[in-house]
Amino acid sequence: MRHDIHDLRARIDAAQVYELAHRTPLQLVPKLSRELGRRIWLKREDLQDVFSFKIRGAANRMAGLGEIARVQGVCAASAGNHAQGVAKAAAHYGIDALIFMPVTTPTIKVAAVEALGGKTRLVGDNYDEACDAAIEHSQKSGAIFIHPFDELDVIAGQGTVAKEIFEQATRKIDAIYVCTGGGGLVSGIGAYAKSVSPDTRIVAAEPLGAATLKAAMAAGQPVDLDHVDGFADGVAVRRIGTLTYALCCDVVDDCVTVTNDEICAAVRDIFEATRTVVEPAGAVALAALRRDVADGRAPDGDCVVTVSGANVNFDRIGHMVERAELGAGEEMLFGATIPEQRGAFQRFVEALGHRAVTEFSYRYQNDAQAHLLVGLKIKSGAERDNVMNDLNAANVAALDLSNDRLAKRHLRHMIGGDPDTTMREVLYRVEFPERPGALGQFLSALDARWNISLFHYRNHGAAEGHVLCGFQLPKDDKSALEESLSAIGFPVWEETDNPATQLFL
C-alpha cells in the first residue's frame, strides 16, 4: 500500500493541533555540537504541557470527530504519553475518554491521566493486552478507538513537528533523527520533510530490544517481535503499524538501533544541555546520532534530534545515571583473578595506575585465588584496551564485562561465590511484568523439587522486573527444571555458562 506524501503534507498543513499543542523550540546545543563535530539541534517536544509530542496526534484526531462520534466518547490504550494526550484533548472538546492501561503502569502515570479528566482501566501486563481490551470495548460500546500511531489524522498531527522544524531552521537541515516505536512520528516527520526537502536524511532511531521497523524492513512487512525490551517504554511496541510501515518505506533513509546504555548516556547529554531529565524514549534519537557519528555515518552538517518526551518516573533516574557512563564509553567493568597471596593485591592496584575506580568488589574464592569485580573511569575505547594490556602485563587474568548484561544488572549489586557443595547448580535470568504480585507469582510457581541456591532481584521502576535465580539439581534433572520454568510463562535465559557467572557465582 503506497501513500502520496504530498497529500499527507497537505493534511499536516491543515492539522488542528494548536488549541492544545505548543510550537516547541528548536534548540542548538553548542557543547554537544563541538563534541560531535556538527551542529546539533534538539526539537524540544518534552516541553509540551503533557511532556510529549503525543498531544499533537490526539488533538488533530479529536478535532476531526463529528458530533455523533463525540457523544459516543473515545477510548485508547497506552502506558503513558498517548494516554495523557487523549485525556487532555478529550477534556478540551468535552468528550468522555476511557484509557486502558497495563497493570504495570506506574501510579504516577495513571494519576496524570485522571488529573487531565480521563477515566482509566488497568488491564493486562503490557500494551498489547491493554490495546486488545480497548478495541473490544470500542466494538461493544461504540466508543471511538483513538490509535496511538496507525491513523492518518494521528500521523498528520505528529507531522506538525517537521513543519515547525523547517519553519524554525535558519540553515539547511542535513538529517533528522526520530525516535521510533509504532512509527507515527517518523512517518509524519518523514513525509513532510521529503515533500519540502528531499535531500534531508530521515533516520529512524530504535532501541535494540524493540526494533519494530528494522524487523519489518528485514521481513518486507510488519512482523511481531518475539520479545520486547520495555526499557524505553515510550517506543516499546511489539509491531509497527501497517500504515506507518508503508509510509516509512517511502520516507525513511536508514534505521539505527541503540543499546539501553547508549540511551542512558544520551539522557545525560540532554540533561547537561537543558537541565531536563527526559524519559528513555526521549533520548533514543540522540543516542542514534551518537552511534552514527561514532560509525562515520552521520552527515557533517546540521542534524536535528527529536526529544520526544519527559514522562519519567523518579525511581528510574538512579538506574539511568548508573548506566550512562557505560553507555558513553566513560566507564568499564571487568572481572579479575589474582592469587591469594601476599603482595598480589598491591600488584593489581599498581597495574591500575592512577585511574579512578568507580566500583570494587572482592570475593574470597579459595586458598589459591580471589576474584575482583572492578569499575574504572575511562575516556575512550582505546583506554579500555590499555587497561586490559596493563593487567595482562602484570600477569592479572582479566575479563572485560562492560557489555555483559548479567554483570551490569545483577553482579555489581550482589555478592556471590561458589556454593559449598558438590551438587550441580544452574543459573537463569527471568523477566516478568513489574505489577503487584508478579514476583510472588514467580516464586510460588516454582516447583519445590529444586532448592533455590541464589536469588537476586532489583526494581528499577520499569515495566519489567529482572531476577537472577540459581537452582541445585540433586538428580541432574535440568530438562525437568526448564519445563517448570517455561510453564510460568515469563521469558527465561540461562546464564550458567556466562563467563561472569563462572568468575563470581
Side-chain angles (χ1 to χ4, degrees):
M1 179 168 54
R2 313 297 281 187
H3 295 272
D4 185 347
I5 62 172
H6 296 287
D7 173 69
L8 183 50
R9 179 198 169 181
R11 288 175 177 267
I12 294 169
D13 283 329
Q16 301 178 62
V17 302
Y18 292 112
E19 287 189 39
L20 289 160
H22 301 302
R23 287 175 57 89
T24 55
L26 184 65
Q27 178 180 353
L28 179 67
V29 280
K31 179 176 178 292
L32 195 59
S33 297
R34 290 192 297 272
E35 179 185 343
L36 298 184
R38 64 259 300 140
R39 292 178 186 84
I40 309 300
W41 303 81
L42 305 182
K43 182 58 175 167
R44 297 290 306 281
E45 286 300 290
D46 58 296
L47 295 178
Q48 296 290 355
D49 286 347
V50 297
F51 308 105
S52 164
F53 74 93
K54 288 287 190 176
I55 186 62
R56 296 176 182 266
N60 191 50
R61 179 73 172 90
M62 219 80 73
L65 292 179
E67 288 302 320
I68 295 177
R70 292 186 180 189
V71 172
Q72 291 173 310
V74 300
C75 64
S78 170
N81 294 344
H82 179 59
Q84 293 180 59
V86 169
K88 185 176 178 66
H92 177 79
Y93 289 107
I95 304 171
D96 290 335
L98 177 61
I99 313 297
F100 289 77
M101 309 180 81
V103 177
T104 56
T105 305
T107 303
I108 188 173
K109 294 187 177 181
V110 177
V113 171
E114 293 175 346
L116 291 167
K119 296 179 180 178
T120 60
R121 188 173 297 175
L122 304 184
V123 178
D125 290 333
N126 51 51
Y127 165 78
D128 295 300
E129 293 177 8
C131 186
D132 289 342
I135 292 173
E136 182 180 358
H137 171 78
S138 172
Q139 294 169 343
K140 290 181 178 178
S141 69
I144 306 301
F145 178 67
I146 308 297
H147 201 284
F149 48 81
D150 212 26
E151 295 183 11
L152 274 176
D153 286 340
V154 172
I155 295 169
Q158 321 299 32
T160 58
V161 173
K163 181 180 179 183
E164 291 176 16
I165 288 172
F166 285 97
E167 289 172 349
Q168 294 166 322
T170 57
R171 304 168 56 90
K172 176 180 178 293
I173 301 299
D174 291 276
I176 304 176
Y177 286 74
V178 189
C179 63
T180 302
L185 183 62
V186 71
S187 57
I189 287 178
Y192 191 90
K194 291 300 183 184
S195 69
V196 300
S197 179
D199 293 336
T200 297
R201 288 184 60 78
I202 302 299
V203 182
E206 300 183 287
L208 187 62
T212 57
L213 178 56
K214 184 176 182 180
M217 292 288 192
Q221 61 183 1
V223 292
D224 288 342
L225 299 179
D226 294 332
H227 177 259
V228 179
D229 183 343
F231 179 78
D233 52 346
V235 289
V237 300
R238 187 168 297 276
R239 183 186 183 97
I240 197 168
T242 302
L243 175 56
T244 55
Y245 169 69
L247 286 165
C248 285
C249 287
D250 289 337
V251 302
V252 171
D253 296 292
D254 197 11
C255 294
V256 177
T257 57
V258 291
T259 66
N260 292 345
D261 288 350
E262 289 174 319
I263 293 170
C264 291
V267 169
R268 188 186 68 176
D269 287 335
I270 294 171
F271 174 80
E272 291 180 348
T274 68
R275 294 304 186 267
T276 298
V277 180
V278 301
E279 63 188 277
V284 169
L286 179 56
L289 172 56
R290 269 193 168 280
R291 168 52 47 206
D292 263 5
V293 170
D295 292 344
R297 294 164 53 90
D300 292 328
D302 290 56
C303 296
V304 173
V305 168
T306 60
V307 181
S308 60
N311 283 302
V312 61
N313 302 338
F314 185 77
D315 54 2
R316 296 197 70 191
I317 295 174
H319 181 53
M320 291 192 293
V321 170
E322 176 186 300
R323 302 287 288 269
E325 289 194 334
L326 284 168
E330 296 173 4
E331 183 189 27
M332 69 176 294
L333 191 67
F334 67 91
T337 302
I338 63 174
E340 194 65 69
Q341 59 185 231
R342 290 182 181 181
F345 187 75
Q346 182 177 351
R347 289 192 295 273
F348 169 76
V349 172
E350 289 173 351
L352 295 181
H354 295 290
R355 299 178 178 100
V357 176
T358 59
E359 178 137 4
F360 199 101
S361 297
Y362 164 79
R363 183 65 173 173
Y364 171 83
Q365 187 73 10
N366 52 47
D367 290 339
Q369 59 186 11
H371 290 163
L372 311 173
L373 182 65
V374 183
L376 287 182
K377 285 266 193 182
I378 58 173
K379 295 179 180 179
S380 65
E383 186 174 357
R384 176 184 286 112
D385 294 339
N386 290 338
V387 169
M388 300 304 288
N389 290 336
D390 290 346
L391 292 171
N392 289 333
N395 294 318
V396 175
L399 178 66
D400 189 351
L401 300 174
S402 302
N403 296 315
D404 189 283
R405 180 175 299 198
L406 175 72
K408 292 183 291 187
R409 180 168 284 154
H410 294 286
L411 287 186
R412 68 188 307 178
H413 304 287
M414 62 186 292
I415 294 176
D418 288 338
D420 187 18
T421 177
T422 57
M423 192 179 298
R424 184 183 180 190
E425 182 188 45
V426 289
L427 274 77
Y428 293 87
R429 180 166 50 86
V430 183
E431 180 180 295
F432 58 88
E434 191 64 89
R435 55 170 165 74
L439 181 58
Q441 176 190 342
F442 168 70
L443 291 172
S444 61
L446 290 175
D447 195 313
R449 282 181 289 171
W450 296 281
N451 180 52
I452 296 178
S453 53
L454 176 149
F455 194 88
H456 182 253
Y457 159 74
R458 292 186 76 215
N459 184 327
H460 299 301
E464 295 87 23
H466 300 271
V467 159
L468 182 66
C469 204
F471 300 90
Q472 292 179 334
L473 300 180
K475 299 179 181 179
D476 208 25
D477 46 356
K478 181 179 176 182
S479 60
L481 170 63
E482 291 187 341
E483 280 185 32
S484 178
L485 288 173
S486 63
I488 298 174
F490 298 153
V492 177
W493 296 267
E494 185 177 0
E495 296 283 7
T496 309
D497 294 328
N498 186 313
T501 300
Q502 299 301 311
L503 270 178
F504 294 101
L505 301 178

